[in-house]
Amino acid sequence: MFSIGDFAQYGRVSARMLRHYDAIGLLRPARTDPASGYRFYEAAQLARLNRIIALKDLGFSLQQVGAILAEEVSVPELRGMLRLRRAELEASLAAAGARLAQVEARLRTIESEGRMSADDVVVKRTGAVLLAELSGIAAGYGPEDIGPVIQPLYGELCRRLETAGVTPAGPGLAYYEDAPETTEARTPAPETPEAKTPEAKTAEERGPAWAREAIVVHAGIVITEEALAKAGVTTDGTPGRPGTTTVTPTPTPTPTGLGFDIVTLPALDCAATVVHRGPMSRILPTVQNLAHWIDANGYRSAGYARELYLECPQDQEKWVTEIQEPVVRA
């Protein structure tokens, strides 16, 4: 017989682990000295120890290992367990591959720019939210077009919420969509001599963005159904239901009769997010860095980005905004 120390050495495990296996009934010693309590094992028990280690290496829990060794698991059940474990390992490999791609993309960025980017991009799911909102039309999607429209909207929305007695439950959240008037403009223009000029070719190369002139700006603030109910407004919106797809049709806001609309903004299953610090007039470099990251990491944009205004003090230099761009795998 082997002492617990020798048996542990032959089995490539620790004596502490053998004591644990004994305690849970997974591998009992062949004999335990009644006086000293020392455990002794037979050479034949190495086969059972090897099976335990092999099953653990496959990812089975000790409880599952015990059931398998006791032949409480049928062959079809064991086959199913192994297939499930294979699927888990494949998912882990896929996740590791995605992380490796992110590391490689970050390395390329550092090598090209010579420094570590301050903008850390995180891909995550956003929750659905109930918003009170006002909307307007901006001439374009640039900061110089959005700013003069969205700032008055938020000022007026806050005033109307206060008048209605509706207390905000969270930060502001803005989202965008193409204005209906641009639908016809999306049709490619007929080819003309002017279309062959360098300026026109540059516009054509920009694709759909070339036709996106007018933009609907939705300035929203997170609220609750309870706050609306106190103001005499009811809604059947149900924020936060799992399973919402990434590319979601823009919901239709519902008038409340209190001078603002309400809308349940669906979740984004997959959004590339980055935090922008400072005034929104300087958001362009942050958005461009996000676009570069999306392309470098094998994604593509699936719509206009949302803006979650986390902190908006009087000093705009201290503003903190999370940009949430819906993405799908390229």
Side-chain angles (χ1 to χ4, degrees), residues 136-328:
I137 303 294
Y141 192 46
E144 68 281 1
D145 300 311
I146 299 296
V149 176
I150 199 169
Q151 291 178 14
L153 285 175
Y154 269 113
E156 183 63 19
L157 177 59
C158 290
R159 187 188 67 80
R160 295 186 184 186
L161 287 175
E162 184 177 2
T163 300
V166 177
T167 303
L173 195 159
Y175 64 101
Y176 305 91
E177 60 177 320
D178 290 327
E181 291 78 7
T182 64
T183 303
E184 187 174 350
R186 287 178 176 279
T187 305
E191 187 171 312
T192 63
E194 290 78 10
K196 297 181 182 297
T197 64
E199 293 79 4
K201 288 182 180 180
T202 300
E204 185 177 359
E205 288 171 358
R206 288 203 298 267
W210 146 72
R212 294 177 186 170
E213 295 179 354
I215 297 293
V216 180
V217 179
H218 296 271
I221 294 179
V222 178
I223 57 173
T224 63
E225 295 185 14
E226 291 75 15
L228 286 175
K230 290 180 180 179
V233 179
T234 59
T235 173
D236 57 358
T238 309
R241 216 167 71 192
T244 308
T245 57
T246 298
V247 185
T248 308
T250 302
T252 302
T254 303
T256 62
L258 298 175
F260 58 86
D261 298 337
I262 56 173
V263 65
T264 299
L265 194 63
L268 297 174
D269 271 351
C270 189
T273 65
V274 67
V275 173
H276 169 73
R277 292 174 172 81
M280 297 303 288
S281 59
R282 294 206 304 265
I283 196 175
L284 198 55
T286 304
V287 171
Q288 289 174 343
N289 287 340
L290 178 60
H292 174 74
W293 186 96
I294 289 172
D295 179 67
N297 286 270
Y299 290 93
R300 62 178 176 82
S301 176
Y304 288 109
R306 299 175 182 178
E307 297 163 2
L308 181 65
Y309 305 111
L310 299 172
E311 296 180 17
C312 296
Q314 195 69 27
D315 184 0
Q316 292 193 13
E317 292 294 332
K318 298 180 180 179
W319 279 18
V320 179
T321 306
E322 183 180 72
I323 312 302
Q324 304 173 343
E325 182 154 355
V327 294
V328 294

Side-chain angles (χ1 to χ4, degrees), residues 31-106:
R31 185 176 72 84
T32 302
D33 187 281
S36 64
Y38 289 169
R39 297 171 175 85
F40 296 93
Y41 295 83
E42 295 177 345
Q45 289 182 287
L46 281 171
R48 182 178 178 89
L49 178 59
N50 289 339
R51 289 197 68 192
I52 293 171
I53 295 172
L55 290 170
K56 277 186 60 183
D57 288 344
L58 289 175
F60 290 116
S61 67
L62 291 180
Q63 183 179 4
Q64 291 173 322
V65 170
I68 294 171
L69 294 180
E71 298 183 350
E72 296 173 359
V73 178
S74 66
V75 172
E77 288 175 331
L78 180 58
R79 187 182 298 116
M81 292 168 67
L82 288 170
R83 286 175 175 169
L84 178 60
R85 182 57 185 157
R86 181 178 62 187
E88 292 172 347
L89 289 172
E90 289 173 347
S92 297
L93 285 173
R99 285 194 295 271
L100 178 60
Q102 292 176 8
V103 171
E104 291 175 344
R106 180 60 63 90

